[in-house]
């Protein structure tokens, strides 16, 4: 737990998960894993890590790694090839498509999880040398509305503030951000601001999240209506003479139009309350807090970006900050929280199809400048296709070759079923991956040629990432390259060489690429472009190796310092003035109907990362939310005849999924929420992306991932069960299941309508043939418990019970991990009853110390006015990374006042 062995030299690197960008110290251990601690000297986290960062050591196993290149030519199966064969196949395949169908028939789909150096060379190859701009990235699903909003308002994609502003704020407004779970270490800084200086926290979200539990004011806004709320705020500030007219006059344009539009949308608190579905008193309270507090930071994330009116939401927020000059000054500003570790770096290199490179676009001067710098033979003439359009072009057959790097689009894109189908139409489908199997790799089985390229993973490669506050940090390797895996930048440059572009891609390592990227940022810049790291253009290999976290801009000849933007204007528009933007009247793109009366909201849980290819390997992270689920207000749930703890089929016009039902009074009536993490690789019938609409924002192209019309129906299963094995587990087709991470084997939770007898038979085929079986069968109660032992070791089991039963998953898991069982433990296992000290822990709340709900509830029940500190003293829960503190507070709160649905 955040402790490294003394005297071992640790490698300073950065966390590969969220955009907080925490510094990590890592020491490789002898088993291919590593000991991990927070870097006390890193300015993003000062030594802290959240539950996911703390568990990084659990995710380094090579069990499911792609360790050598593979090719499949139809009809056929994937077979191992050497690097030369794979790289030749990629280069000649791309060349054939470009020669035959033109450069527009080729596309790259990249990721905010690539390092800046990887991203830079991929973008350069496509836009400068293949001659198309069909390079887009999963950042289209993530940050595109913030990028578009920044560019409309500021003339450049800039986050004006720094994390220090969060420390120094007196009011922190979180819009569409579940920071307690998604940016946990930064969230700890918000809580510290609350504690240290009495800062107030406002949370605006349709559902009462873990973050909302800490809020001084929670605004359960109707989905998609944020722009109306911030229009109402602007009107209120104008009507109460709280605006800074000197700043507006001197440094901005478009104010009059924006205010007039705001009046049309939300003329006063009453109209705002009607438009947003909020209580008028709450709206008024929010307006007053904003007006009275000078130091306001408004942080926003996917509840803002992932909307068909996401760019307008961003600008409505920025409008309120510009009009009050709450920008660029200590403790103030609009603050877009980036999602991925290098979403920001991807924007810097131009990874989005509507950007060229180094924050430049496609104007004639910018094209000319980048073309000369790169000595590009055929620079892309215009913007390329954005992700949704790009995959539609694949569906139509106009894109024939696709290279996916470091993203899993068959899970994460909207209309994921259609995306999977589209990939089968490709002539050439190249995937650079860490893992051997994910849904995207599987979808390539129908493509004419599929090439898998083994990318080096976190801990094995060198490069840089940029976090939410524009701070560039080094990722450094502390593990050897396994098998034949190679860094992504190397793979791209080798392909470029084979295409005949060797001299433009003669990079010996990431430092060479970084220097070129830095030089381009400063090339003919003269202070006109925001993104300038010219000070690093001449960095030596040694200095790159030792580079400390550095914030941009870092202009050549200027002292390096943390810089805020725009306190004195100086925007990056032609007239150097910011733009107020008049938003459209907001509404979600698709309307609910009699058939689809609910709105499906999607997002994240605390301890899983995206499609679970990494966090899914950690047993301790898996215990917090073991199954794919849907949260629904109890009133909606009962109306749909659902049972809490049962199952529901959620259906939209695009697809359906079967999810475990959680009644939650914190859900707005009419809204349901499902996490995005499960896929075919980890569960059955739980790929939520299949249900999600591809309707998207007209400015950013970012899809509305949080508001798809949907309906819910009950699904009955006769039996539920668990299966564990030291080997692979194959369940009968049609079984609903969710895989569980477990040390030393495989495990699934499942549900089924197969007859009792079949399970009895199936258990025998599932368990090792040479094992000694211990059985407990009670047909009248519908119970099957069969455990397999080999040489005294508990080697697997299959337990089935009626739908209402609760398999003792926690107990069984700990016995399996223990291996050799005492007689008493064997009896415990088969009786299904908890013996002393073996009580099932319930869902694990504190992932660091493995403390379950049951133990916490016991402590809360045993005392009077129990606090989180009391829980920490008794159980240690919450005393390491702090990610579970909001949940601990929630448990205390619930025990004090039982929630009445
Ligand atoms: N644990 C964990 N952390 C992560 C990630 C992860 O996978 N797991 N991923 C990282 C990435 S890439 C990203 S982009 C970030 C995302 O971080 P967040 O944006 O904080 O996470 P989400 O859960 O996607 O959505 C945030 C909230 O938006 C709310 N919301 C939905 N619709 C609306 C609306 O119309 N208005 C408002 N105001 N709110 C709405 C949802 O209810 C949800 O609580 O997290 C990063 N951190
Ligand atoms: N419905 C809905 N859909 C969403 C969202 C939502 O809130 N709702 N959120 C969206 C957002 S914000 C995001 S960011 C996306 C995320 O979605 P994805 O990017 O699809 O999710 P990941 O699981 O992070 O996929 C990363 C893949 O790259 C591999 N990988 C990791 N590191 C490397 C590397 O260094 N090199 C290579 N070659 N491969 C690597 C991993 O094994 C994994 O397969 O999902 C989006 N989709
Ligand atoms: S907050 Fe957690 S996931 Fe995000 S960078 Fe820090 S340790 Fe990693
Ligand atoms: Mo994201």
């Amino acid at each position: 737990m955040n402790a490294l062995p003394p005297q071992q030299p640790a490698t300073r690197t950065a966390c590969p998960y969220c955009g907080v960008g925490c510094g990590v110290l890592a020491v490789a251990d002898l088993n291919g894993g590593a000991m991990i601690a927070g870097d006390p000297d890193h300015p993003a986290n000062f030594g802290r890590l959240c539950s996911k960062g703390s568990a990084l050591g659990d995710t380094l196993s090579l069990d499911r790694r792609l360790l050598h290149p593979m090719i499949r030519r139809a009809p056929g199966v994937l077979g191992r090839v050497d690097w030369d064969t794979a790289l030749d196949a990629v280069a000649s395949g791309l060349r054939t498509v470009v020669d035959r169908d033109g450069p527009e028939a080729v596309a790259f789909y990249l990721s905010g999880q690539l390092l800046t150096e990887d991203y830079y060379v991929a973008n350069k190859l496509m836009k400068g040398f293949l001659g198309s701009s069909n390079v887009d990235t999963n950042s289209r699903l993530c940050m595109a509305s913030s990028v578009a909003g920044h560019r409309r308002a500021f003339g450049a994609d800039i986050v004006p503030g720094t994390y220090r502003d969060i420390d120094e704020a007196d009011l922190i407004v979180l819009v569409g951000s579940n920071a307690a779970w998604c940016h946990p270490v930064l969230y700890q800084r918000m809580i510290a601001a609350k504690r240290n200086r009495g800062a107030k926290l406002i949370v605006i979200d349709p559902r009462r999240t873990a973050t909302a539990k800490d809020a001084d004011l929670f605004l359960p806004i109707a989905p998609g209506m944020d722009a109306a709320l911030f229009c109402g705020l602007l009107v209120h500030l104008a009507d109460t003479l709280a605006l800074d007219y000197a700043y507006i006059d001197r440094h901005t344009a478009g104010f009059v139009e924006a205010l007039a539009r705001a009046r049309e949308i939300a003329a006063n608190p009453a109209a705002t309350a009607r438009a947003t579905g909020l209580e008028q008193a709450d709206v008024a309270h929010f307006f007053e807090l904003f007006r009275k507090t000078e130091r306001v930071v408004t942080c926003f994330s996917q509840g803002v970006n992932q909307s068909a009116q996401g760019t307008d939401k961003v600008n409505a927020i920025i409008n309120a900050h510009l009009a009050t000059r709450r920008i660029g000054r200590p403790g103030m500003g609009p603050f877009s929280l980036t999602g991925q570790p290098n979403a920001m770096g991807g924007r810097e290199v131009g990874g989005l199809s509507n950007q060229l490179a180094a924050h430049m676009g496609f104007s004639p001067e910018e094209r000319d400048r980048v073309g000369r710098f790169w000595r590009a033979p055929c620079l892309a003439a215009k913007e390329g296709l954005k992700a949704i359009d790009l995959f539609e072009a694949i569906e139509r057959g106009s894109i024939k070759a696709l290279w996916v790097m470091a993203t899993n689009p068959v899970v994460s894109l909207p209309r994921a079923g259609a995306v999977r189908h589209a990939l089968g139409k490709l002539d050439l489908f190249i995937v650079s991956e860490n893992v051997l199997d994910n849904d995207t790799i599987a979808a390539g089985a129908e493509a004419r040629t599929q090439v898998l390229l083994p990318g080096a993973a976190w801990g094995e490669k060198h490069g840089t990432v940029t976090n939410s506050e524009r701070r560039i940090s080094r990722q450094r390797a502390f593990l050897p390259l396994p098998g034949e895996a190679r860094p992504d930048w190397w793979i791209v440059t080798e392909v470029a060489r084979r295409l005949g572009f060797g001299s433009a891609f003669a990079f010996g390592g990431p430092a060479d690429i970084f220097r070129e990227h830095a030089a381009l940022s400063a090339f003919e810049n003269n202070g006109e472009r925001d993104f300038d790291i010219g000070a690093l253009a001449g960095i030596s290999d040694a200095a790159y190796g030792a580079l400390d976290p550095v914030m941009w801009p870092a202009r050549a000849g200027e002292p390096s310092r943390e810089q805020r933007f725009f306190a004195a204007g100086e925007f990056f528009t032609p007239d150097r003035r910011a733009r107020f933007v008049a938003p459209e009247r907001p509404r979600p793109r698709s309307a609910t109907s009699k058939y689809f009366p609910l709105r499906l909201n999607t997002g994240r849980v605390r301890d899983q990362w995206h499609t679970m290819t990494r966090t899914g390997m950690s047993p301790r992270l898996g215990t917090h939310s073991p199954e794919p689920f849907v949260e629904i207000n109890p009133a909606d749930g009962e109306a749909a005849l659902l049972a809490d703890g049962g199952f529901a089929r959620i259906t939209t016009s695009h697809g359906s999924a079967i999810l475990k039902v959680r009644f939650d009074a914190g859900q707005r009536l009419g809204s349901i929420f499902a996490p995005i993490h499960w896929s075919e690789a980890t569960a059955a019938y739980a790929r939520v992306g299949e249900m999600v609409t591809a309707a998207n924002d007209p400015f950013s192209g970012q899809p509305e991932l949080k508001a798809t019309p949907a309906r819910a129906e009950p699904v009955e299963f006769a039996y539920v069960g668990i299966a564990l094995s030291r080997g692979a587990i194959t369940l009968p087709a049609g079984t609903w299941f969710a895989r569980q991470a477990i040390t030393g084997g495989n495990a699934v939770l499942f549900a089924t309508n197969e007859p009792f007898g079949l399970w009895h038979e199936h258990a025998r085929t599932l368990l090792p043939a040479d094992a000694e079986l211990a059985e407990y069968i009670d047909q009248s109660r519908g119970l099957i418990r069969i455990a397999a032992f080999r040489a005294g070791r508990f080697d697997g089991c299959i337990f089935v019970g009626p739908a209402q039963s609760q398999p003792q998953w926690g107990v069984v898991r700990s016995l399996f991990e223990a291996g050799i069982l005492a007689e008493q433990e064997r009896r415990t296992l088969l009786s299904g009853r908890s013996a002393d000290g073996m009580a099932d822990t319930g869902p694990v709340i504190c992932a660091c110390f493995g403390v379950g709900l049951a133990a916490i509830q016991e402590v809360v029940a045993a005392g009077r006015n129990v606090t989180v500190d009391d829980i920490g003293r008794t159980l240690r829960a919450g005393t390491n990374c702090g990610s579970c503190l909001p949940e601990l507070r929630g448990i205390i709160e619930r025990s004090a006042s039982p929630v009445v649905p």
Side-chain angles (χ1 to χ4, degrees), residues 138 141-143 302 306 338-340 604 609-610:
N138 63 0
L141 314 177
C142 183
M143 304 315 302
Q302 299 315 335
Q306 289 171 342
T338 43
Q340 297 172 92
R604 293 152 172 82
W609 176 261
H610 297 168

Coordinates of all heavy atoms in Angstrom, one line a residue, residues 138 141-143 302 306 338-340 604 609-610, ligand 4:
N138 N -10.3 8.6 -30.1 CA -11.4 8.5 -29.1 C -11.6 9.8 -28.3 O -12.6 9.9 -27.6 CB -11.1 7.3 -28.2 CG -9.9 7.4 -27.4 OD1 -9.2 8.4 -27.4 ND2 -9.6 6.4 -26.6
L141 N -14.9 11.3 -28.6 CA -16.0 10.9 -27.7 C -15.8 11.5 -26.3 O -16.7 11.3 -25.4 CB -15.9 9.4 -27.5 CG -15.8 8.5 -28.8 CD1 -15.7 7.1 -28.4 CD2 -16.9 8.8 -29.7
C142 N -14.8 12.3 -26.1 CA -14.3 12.6 -24.8 C -14.2 14.1 -24.6 O -14.8 14.7 -23.8 CB -13.0 11.9 -24.6 SG -12.3 12.1 -23.0
M143 N -13.3 14.7 -25.4 CA -13.0 16.2 -25.2 C -13.4 17.1 -26.3 O -13.2 18.3 -26.2 CB -11.5 16.3 -25.0 CG -10.9 15.5 -23.9 SD -11.8 15.4 -22.3 CE -11.8 17.2 -21.9
Q302 N -17.8 14.9 -18.7 CA -18.6 14.3 -19.8 C -20.1 14.6 -19.7 O -20.7 14.5 -20.7 CB -18.3 12.8 -19.8 CG -16.9 12.5 -20.1 CD -16.2 13.3 -21.2 OE1 -16.9 13.8 -22.1 NE2 -14.9 13.4 -21.2
Q306 N -20.3 15.2 -23.6 CA -21.0 14.2 -24.4 C -22.5 14.5 -24.6 O -23.4 13.8 -24.1 CB -20.9 12.8 -23.7 CG -19.4 12.3 -23.7 CD -19.2 11.1 -22.8 OE1 -20.0 10.8 -21.9 NE2 -18.2 10.4 -23.0
T338 N -9.8 16.9 -18.2 CA -9.6 15.9 -19.3 C -9.8 14.5 -18.8 O -9.5 14.2 -17.7 CB -8.2 16.1 -20.0 OG1 -7.2 16.2 -19.0 CG2 -8.2 17.2 -21.0
G339 N -10.2 13.6 -19.7 CA -10.5 12.3 -19.3 C -9.2 11.4 -19.3 O -8.8 11.0 -18.2
Q340 N -8.6 11.2 -20.5 CA -7.5 10.2 -20.6 C -6.2 10.9 -20.2 O -6.1 12.1 -20.2 CB -7.5 9.7 -22.0 CG -8.7 8.9 -22.3 CD -8.7 8.6 -23.8 OE1 -8.3 7.5 -24.2 NE2 -9.2 9.4 -24.6
R604 N -19.1 6.0 -15.7 CA -18.1 5.2 -15.1 C -18.3 4.8 -13.7 O -19.1 5.4 -13.0 CB -16.8 6.0 -15.2 CG -16.3 6.2 -16.6 CD -15.5 7.5 -16.8 NE -15.0 7.5 -18.1 CZ -15.7 7.8 -19.2 NH1 -16.9 8.3 -19.1 NH2 -15.2 7.7 -20.4
W609 N -11.6 1.0 -15.4 CA -11.1 1.9 -16.4 C -11.7 1.4 -17.8 O -11.3 0.3 -18.2 CB -9.6 2.0 -16.5 CG -9.1 2.8 -17.6 CD1 -8.6 2.4 -18.8 CD2 -9.0 4.3 -17.6 NE1 -8.3 3.5 -19.6 CE2 -8.5 4.6 -18.9 CE3 -9.3 5.3 -16.7 CZ2 -8.3 6.0 -19.2 CZ3 -9.1 6.6 -17.0 CH2 -8.6 6.9 -18.3
H610 N -12.6 2.2 -18.4 CA -13.1 1.9 -19.7 C -13.4 0.4 -19.9 O -14.3 -0.1 -19.2 CB -12.1 2.4 -20.8 CG -11.9 3.9 -20.7 ND1 -10.9 4.6 -21.3 CD2 -12.6 4.8 -20.0 CE1 -11.0 5.9 -21.1 NE2 -12.1 6.0 -20.3
Ligands
LIG4 MO1 -12.6 10.0 -21.9

